[in-house]
Amino acid sequence: MTGIGPKATLRPMHTGNEPVKSALAERLNRPLAIRSRPVANRLWLAPMAGLGHVAFREVLGHYGGCGLAFTEMCSARAVPTENRRVSAVFRWRDPELDRLVCQIAGADPAELAVAARRVEDEGFFGVDINMGCSVSGIVKKGAGAALLRDHDAALAALDAVRSAVAIPVFVKFRTGWSADIAPAISLARRLESAGADCLVFHPRVAPDKRTRPPMRDHIRVLAEAVSIPVFGNGDVVTPEDCLDMLQGTGCAGVSVGRMAIARPWIFAEWTGGDLPAEVLEGDGFKDYALRLADALDRHFDPIRALKRFKLFTIYFAANFTYGHSLQSPFLAAKTMDDVREAARRLLVPELRLTRRPNMNMYNI
């Protein structure tokens, strides 16, 4: 695992096409307000179950550059009575609240409304209604992407949340259960009329677990159909990808998911911010893994911390040419101290990076 290639192989994330990066930073830093509330920039962290937890967001804050972050999906039924010190997903650090949106999932308008009020009372920037998750357990309850089959139910959900809170209301959704964009356009217009402040759109059919490329032109059609901001999501990996989405679709901004887990400093890099010294000096990956291990230990019990670190390794190891080999020692770890030992031993500057993550791992 060591001695493969020169140290310079760790530098693609902060070298390359400077005109692209300059144009991208200019686009991402254009002023934007959601329901009259300003946001720092137009590059956001997407909600991701098991990945976008409080520990990861703490580490993300170290690197900077993220305009808004979204929590993991939280059950609307559970949120009103959740204890933030105990809950696996409904937890946060107070300093991040002014740039944090809580995503809730549910089918009962009354439950969604009560959950949204709790979110507002806690001081979150906004609340996001999940209309995109196609996991069978969520869909069977009529939540997530199931709402894309019943637009009246989707509107009832939004109406309840919009009536309950004054904070910004976001909706994350997909094209639908077929590749026909017409239903999504109709829904987007109805969501805007019902008071949604921003739409985050993933242009894939609901059952597609990223086995096919996103239908990026659907973002353009949707953005042209409404006047509220539409953020694009899906397979944004390089600065060129991000700029292409902005220029080619006219979307208001970009929501990044798995690439944020792979390289959390892309927010600072793409918005023209300062990168930490450890990234510039080639030790960014080791530092990142160790920071995340420490943050997981602070926020979760040992079993949950280890489980979440192992989930993270899929995306982290995809950065490297020999990612499958790199992942194995982390998956074999029995404790977080084992994780730290593996990070110090294996994450050396000589590891060879890929410019784009290994998609065979990245699409899991």
Side-chain angles (χ1 to χ4, degrees):
M1 291 299 302
T2 59
I4 304 170
K7 185 172 182 177
T9 55
L10 273 178
R11 298 180 181 268
M13 75 288 292
H14 55 267
T15 61
N17 193 331
E18 296 308 317
V20 167
K21 291 187 177 181
S22 177
L24 178 58
E26 190 278 326
R27 295 284 296 249
L28 293 175
N29 288 308
R30 290 178 183 176
L32 177 68
I34 306 294
R35 200 172 181 82
S36 301
R37 297 191 64 176
V39 294
N41 61 52
R42 297 167 180 255
L43 188 63
W44 299 352
L45 174 69
M48 291 174 285
L51 294 166
H53 45 69
V54 63
F56 171 75
R57 297 194 311 266
E58 180 180 331
V59 174
L60 180 64
H62 165 73
Y63 298 107
C66 181
L68 279 181
F70 287 64
T71 69
E72 297 182 75
M73 180 175 59
C74 301
S75 164
R77 178 172 295 177
V79 160
T81 57
E82 285 273 54
N83 180 341
R84 62 178 285 200
R85 307 297 178 189
V86 176
S87 172
V89 294
F90 189 63
R91 60 168 63 192
W92 61 90
R93 298 176 304 113
D94 289 340
E96 66 177 331
L97 278 173
D98 63 350
R99 59 185 184 279
L100 183 62
V101 177
C102 181
Q103 185 183 79
I104 57 176
D108 185 307
E111 290 180 351
L112 287 161
V114 175
R117 280 194 289 270
R118 170 84 190 273
V119 169
E120 182 175 53
D121 289 345
E122 293 289 0
F124 283 82
F125 179 94
V127 60
D128 178 46
I129 305 173
N130 183 315
M131 296 188 188
C133 179
S134 59
V135 172
S136 60
I138 299 297
V139 172
K140 287 178 181 177
K141 297 176 182 177
L147 294 170
L148 303 180
R149 289 175 168 152
D150 185 345
H151 289 187
D152 288 340
L155 267 292
L158 176 59
D159 282 337
V161 171
R162 179 72 284 163
S163 298
V165 299
I167 57 176
V169 176
F170 302 75
V171 177
K172 172 74 182 288
F173 70 118
R174 291 186 179 222
T175 295
W177 289 85
S178 77
D180 182 7
I181 188 60
I185 293 173
S186 174
L187 177 60
R189 287 171 171 159
R190 294 182 70 184
L191 292 171
E192 178 180 23
S193 297
D197 298 298
C198 180
L199 305 176
V200 181
F201 184 60
H202 188 168
R204 282 187 167 102
V205 295
D208 181 6
K209 299 186 184 301
R210 302 187 293 271
T211 56
R212 292 181 290 272
M215 298 169 286
R216 186 165 287 183
D217 194 56
H218 284 186
I219 301 174
R220 178 189 61 79
V221 175
L222 198 85
E224 291 174 351
V226 296
S227 59
I228 57 175
V230 173
F231 270 60
N233 175 238
D235 288 9
V236 175
V237 176
T238 66
E240 290 81 4
D241 291 338
C242 193
L243 185 61
D244 180 68
M245 179 177 281
L246 289 165
Q247 292 179 335
T249 71
C251 63
V254 176
S255 172
V256 179
R258 294 164 294 155
M259 192 61 191
I261 304 300
R263 301 178 188 177
W265 46 80
I266 64 169
F267 293 91
E269 179 193 359
W270 294 0
T271 61
D274 295 327
L275 293 173
E278 65 268 14
V279 176
L280 294 171
E281 294 168 3
D283 284 326
F285 289 100
K286 178 173 70 176
D287 181 82
Y288 173 28
L290 293 172
R291 283 183 185 276
L292 183 61
D294 290 345
L296 285 165
D297 263 346
R298 282 193 295 274
H299 292 287
F300 298 107
D301 64 80
I303 294 175
R304 182 167 281 140
L306 185 61
K307 181 179 179 179
R308 292 199 168 198
F309 191 93
K310 289 182 178 182
L311 181 59
F312 146 84
T313 62
I314 296 170
Y315 306 95
F316 182 79
N319 283 298
F320 301 96
T321 302
Y322 300 94
H324 286 94
S325 301
L326 179 67
Q327 187 187 15
S328 296
F330 290 107
L331 294 181
K334 303 298 183 183
T335 68
M336 293 303 288
D337 284 340
D338 291 344
V339 163
R340 293 182 181 88
E341 188 280 329
R344 294 188 179 101
R345 175 168 52 88
L346 298 172
L347 299 177
V348 295
E350 291 77 18
L351 287 176
R352 182 175 296 153
L353 276 179
T354 60
R355 175 159 172 76
R356 303 180 72 92
N358 179 341
M359 300 306 287
N360 291 327
M361 301 179 70
Y362 197 60
N363 283 332
I364 293 174

